[in-house]
Amino acid sequence: MASRKLLVDIHTHVYLPRYASLLRTRTSVPFIRSSTTRDGKSEERLLILDHEPSGGRPVGPQYWDREEKLKFMDRHGIDVSVVSTANPWLDFLSASQAQILASELNDDLEQYCSTSPDVPDVSIKRLYGFGLLPLVPDITTASLLHAVDQISNLPHLRGLIMGTRGIGKGLDDEALDPVWAAIEKAGLVVFIHPHYGVDGKSWGDKDNGHVLPLALGFPFETTIATTRLILSGVLDRFPLLRLLLAHSGGALPQLSSRLASCIDHDPVVASRLKHDARYYLGKLYLDAVAYGPEELGFVSDVIARSKKFETGTSVTGSLTRSLGSQQMLFGTDHPFFPPLYSTETWKSVVENLEAINEVQGWGQSDKEGVRGGNAITLFNLTK
Ligand code: URA
Ligand code: ZN
C-alpha cells in the first residue's frame, strides 16, 4: 500500500458512451442535441432538467471519454477516482429498458475501471466505480436484487449511485427494504445524489441560468430525501448501511437540531425513531464538495456532535471537528462546473482543495483523511 498520501475523488461523473448514445437518440429531456454555433462550429448540448435553462449545457469528450477523465485527474493531482454515472441515471426509462441498461452500464463501468492504469508504485487502479440499479416504477424487487448482486460481484464497483425518487415514491418507500437489506449485506456504499431540485416555480421568471437549481434546488432535494429516509426508520432498520450524501448533505447539517425539535414535538413521529434525529447525521458520509472551509468545518462539527446522541455510550473524548472529518471525502463533481474560460486547473477543484486545507481545527492527518485516506477506508481501496 502507498506510503505517500493519495488524493481520491469520490464525486466525479461520466456519461458512458452507451448512455451518451442513447441520449443522442432522444428529443425530449434528457437528451443531447447537436447545433451550430453563431460562428459556424458544431456543438453538442446536454438537456437534462425540466425547463432546462439557457438551452442546456455544452458537452464534449470530458463527459464520456476516459482519457479526458485521466487527463483531468493528472492535471489536478488526483490519484484515484470513484466514478459514477451522472444524473438522471435510468429514471426516464421503462422497467424493462432500465433493467437491461443497468446491467450493461454496470459491465461497461467495470471495464472502464478494470482496464484503467495502476496508480504508480501502488497496486490499485486509478478508477473505481459506483454502479446503477434500475430504480424506476414497476420494476420488480427481484430485478433490483439482481442488480445489487451484479454490482457486488464486479470487483471495481464499490457502491452504487441513486437519485431520490426510489421506484417512484421516494427513498422512504417500504418496498425498498429488501434492497437496503441486500446493499447493507453486500457492504456497498450508496451515493445519494440529486437531480430534480425543488418546485421550479420558486425560481421566479428571471433568467438566472443554472444557478438556482444547482446551488439551491439540488441540495434541498438531498435534504428532503435524506430527512424522509431518517423519518421512515431506514437507518434504524439497517444500521450498517453506508450512505454518502452529495454536496455535504445539502442543508441537513444546518437543520438537524430543528429537525430533532420538530420530531420531539410531533405526536405522529415523536416515538417512532430509536434515536434523536441528530444521531443519524453521524451515520452518514458526506462529500467535501462545499467550496468553503467554514462550511466544511461546520459540517464536521455536526457529525462529531452526533456521537453525543449514541445511546449506551458515555462520550468522554472531545467531540472535535477532527472526529467529524473522518466521515468527509474530497470530490470534484467533474465534468460539471468547467471553467468558463480555458485555464490549466479548474476553479471548482482548486477551491474545494483549498477549503479542505484551510479548515480551522483540522490537523494535517484530518486533511489527509478528507483528501483520500477516508475514501481508501470507506471503499476498501487497497486492492
Ligand atoms: N449538474 C448536474 O446536472 N449534475 C451534477 O452532478 C452537477 C451539476
Ligand atoms: Zn454530482
Side-chain angles (χ1 to χ4, degrees):
M1 201 40 221
S3 54
R4 80 187 163 84
K5 307 297 176 194
L6 301 181
L7 183 60
V8 182
D9 180 0
I10 56 84
H11 188 155
T12 178
H13 301 295
V14 66
Y15 290 116
L16 288 164
R18 184 190 299 276
Y19 187 90
S21 301
L22 170 68
L23 294 187
R24 289 193 186 93
T25 66
R26 293 174 50 84
T27 51
S28 60
V29 163
F31 68 114
I32 293 175
R33 72 172 161 79
S34 301
S35 58
T36 309
T37 60
R38 263 190 238 138
D39 46 2
K41 293 198 189 111
S42 69
E43 68 164 12
E44 289 194 308
R45 293 186 84 87
L46 174 72
L47 293 92
I48 51 174
L49 306 177
D50 278 337
H51 317 294
E52 179 77 47
S54 319
R57 290 170 258 196
V59 281
Q62 291 280 358
Y63 283 73
W64 42 80
D65 185 337
R66 190 181 72 175
E67 285 316 303
E68 293 295 326
K69 179 74 76 189
L70 290 166
K71 272 194 235 158
F72 166 85
M73 291 166 62
D74 289 342
R75 210 184 276 183
H76 295 92
I78 297 168
D79 297 288
V80 178
S81 290
V82 189
V83 180
S84 48
T85 290
N87 47 298
W89 314 285
L90 308 171
D91 289 18
F92 53 97
L93 298 174
S94 69
S96 58
Q97 290 170 321
Q99 188 186 349
I100 295 166
L101 196 59
S103 168
E104 290 173 342
L105 289 173
N106 289 336
D107 284 337
D108 290 352
L109 188 57
E110 172 62 24
Q111 172 82 0
Y112 175 103
C113 300
S114 65
T115 58
S116 71
D118 285 342
V119 178
D121 309 323
V122 188
S123 60
I124 62 171
K125 290 287 172 193
R126 294 200 68 192
L127 298 172
Y128 292 83
F130 290 98
L132 285 174
L133 301 182
L135 283 163
V136 293
D138 301 325
I139 196 77
T140 62
T141 304
S143 301
L144 293 168
L145 297 180
H146 189 266
V148 174
D149 193 51
Q150 180 200 16
I151 294 168
S152 59
N153 282 302
L154 291 172
H156 297 86
L157 302 193
R158 301 295 166 95
L160 53 99
I161 184 164
M162 63 169 70
T164 60
R165 292 207 164 163
I167 56 173
K169 293 187 183 163
L171 301 183
D172 52 2
D173 183 351
E174 272 154 29
L176 293 176
D177 270 17
V179 182
W180 297 127
I183 293 171
E184 183 185 55
K185 185 157 177 234
L188 294 167
V189 176
V190 181
F191 185 13
I192 298 182
H193 192 290
H195 170 68
Y196 298 95
V198 293
D199 186 353
K201 289 198 200 83
S202 329
W203 304 143
D205 52 15
K206 300 268 182 300
D207 183 4
N208 290 311
H210 285 85
V211 169
L212 292 169
L214 292 185
L216 306 183
F218 266 34
F220 288 162
E221 178 187 351
T222 306
T223 307
I224 295 166
T226 311
T227 304
R228 283 175 51 181
L229 192 84
I230 291 171
L231 287 174
S232 73
V234 166
L235 296 177
D236 285 329
R237 293 197 293 286
F238 306 102
L240 302 180
L241 257 188
R242 297 183 303 164
L243 305 180
L244 168 64
L245 303 190
H247 315 118
S248 290
L252 190 56
Q254 172 67 41
L255 296 174
S256 56
S257 290
R258 181 170 174 81
L259 173 64
S261 174
C262 290
I263 292 172
D264 284 348
H265 293 89
D266 192 301
V268 176
V269 189
S271 56
R272 191 191 293 169
L273 298 179
K274 285 196 184 151
H275 303 273
D276 183 285
R278 286 164 285 196
Y279 161 86
Y280 301 100
L281 273 284
K283 307 286 290 174
L284 303 171
Y285 295 84
L286 300 148
D287 71 18
V289 183
Y291 308 95
E294 294 80 6
E295 287 84 353
L296 294 180
F298 168 74
V299 170
S300 60
D301 285 343
V302 173
I303 299 174
R305 182 193 59 184
S306 69
K307 312 295 173 198
K308 268 207 265 184
F309 297 95
E310 289 191 9
T311 42
T313 52
S314 63
V315 180
T316 45
S318 60
L319 295 174
T320 58
R321 48 178 54 177
S322 164
L323 180 66
S325 74
Q326 294 168 15
Q327 285 162 239
M328 300 180 67
L329 305 92
F330 168 69
T332 62
D333 229 339
H334 178 258
F336 297 105
F337 307 108
L340 295 183
Y341 306 99
S342 172
T343 51
E344 178 62 18
T345 53
W346 290 26
K347 183 175 182 197
S348 52
V349 180
V350 173
E351 244 170 12
N352 274 318
L353 284 170
E354 284 173 356
I356 294 168
N357 211 27
E358 287 166 16
V359 176
Q360 297 291 317
W362 283 4
Q364 198 49 33
S365 69
D366 303 325
K367 293 174 188 173
E368 284 165 6
V370 177
R371 284 195 285 258
N374 300 342
I376 289 171
T377 308
L378 181 65
F379 296 98
N380 194 18
L381 300 179
T382 51
K383 55 184 185 316

